[in-house]
Amino acid sequence: DTGVSQNPRHKITKRGQNVTFRCDPISEHNRLYWYRQTLGQGPEFLTYFQNEAQLEKSRLLSDRFSAERPKGSFSTLEIQRTEQGDSAMYLCASSLGTGRPGELFFGEGSRLTVL
Amino acid sequence: QQQVKQSPQSLIVQKGGISIINCAYENTAFDYFPWYQQFPGKGPALLIAIRPDVSEKKEGRFTISFNKSAKQFSLHIMDSQPGDSATYFCAASKAAGNKLTFGGGTRVLVKP
């Protein structure tokens, strides 16, 4: 399968702990996005990368959140000092960035539960 | 600020019927309007998309209608099938950024 891969699929943690999610995009895609989705809502944009450069961050992304894409391939999203309000599905998506703007390919998500 | 508003939140349709979902946007800089389909436990997947220079686009049983002056667009699912039962999201983006702004979603249930 050459789609977008996310790990872990589900993470349960206690409030105050740090968690990290990994996303492996489709190999030839140079843009990578992180979204957050809560139950019954549409995905909310968090941040995106063009190759290794982080080009935009949402105001939703507090100082406890950090994302990296060190070599322009896989990306990690770290949440420090988790809070119960961080419980959500974290979706990663990738795109070519050219040709068909807006066509994002999503992974199956990493579900975070903060107890 | 909710830039893309979607309605209804849910709808139930009989097999063979028509499902209609509406969206309205505020930002006139948006120029790409995709619809995504999401099944439980899966990520959203692109269904069909339209640009504002076209008023209608049809792909199989799925049709997007676009009204630029009203800043509204809609998805019609013709001959709805039980396998169409999913959550549908409209979205919008600016060509330069590719970042998508999503509506709140519509949960569609097709009864056999």
Side-chain angles (χ1 to χ4, degrees), chain B:
Chain B
Q1 180 187 12
Q2 188 179 3
Q3 294 195 53
V4 181
K5 295 183 180 180
Q6 183 171 347
S7 62
Q9 287 186 313
S10 64
L11 68 91
I12 299 173
V13 62
Q14 292 295 128
K15 179 182 175 182
I18 302 173
S19 304
I20 302 174
I21 306 170
N22 300 299
C23 282
Y25 63 98
E26 300 171 0
N27 190 339
T28 55
F30 289 147
D31 71 349
Y32 185 78
F33 302 89
W35 285 87
Y36 279 75
Q37 180 188 55
Q38 185 176 30
F39 293 103
K42 302 293 186 181
L46 180 66
L47 190 63
I48 185 173
I50 197 169
R51 288 192 171 277
D53 54 345
V54 176
S55 61
E56 185 175 283
K57 183 175 181 180
K58 182 177 181 179
E59 289 185 1
R61 296 183 294 107
F62 301 92
T63 300
I64 300 178
S65 298
F66 188 86
N67 185 329
K68 187 175 181 179
S69 61
K71 294 188 288 185
Q72 295 176 347
F73 58 111
S74 61
L75 176 70
H76 290 60
I77 307 174
M78 313 299 287
D79 187 27
S80 296
Q81 299 297 311
D84 297 332
S85 296
T87 300
Y88 293 82
F89 295 97
C90 61
S93 71
K94 305 174 194 176
N98 285 17
K99 177 185 72 176
L100 286 173
T101 300
F102 284 86
T106 298
R107 193 169 180 177
V108 174
L109 176 63
V110 181
K111 288 194 169 182

Side-chain angles (χ1 to χ4, degrees), chain A residues 95-110:
Chain A
S95 76
L96 278 169
T98 58
R100 292 187 64 177
E103 184 169 14
L104 272 57
F105 294 83
F106 282 86
E108 295 191 334
S110 293

Side-chain angles (χ1 to χ4, degrees), chain A residues 23-44:
Chain A
C23 172
D24 288 89
I26 295 172
S27 59
E28 64 268 27
H29 286 184
N30 55 13
R31 291 197 179 190
L32 186 147
Y33 306 78
W34 285 99
Y35 281 80
R36 180 170 65 190
Q37 186 177 25
T38 53
L39 197 63
Q41 300 297 318
E44 295 176 300

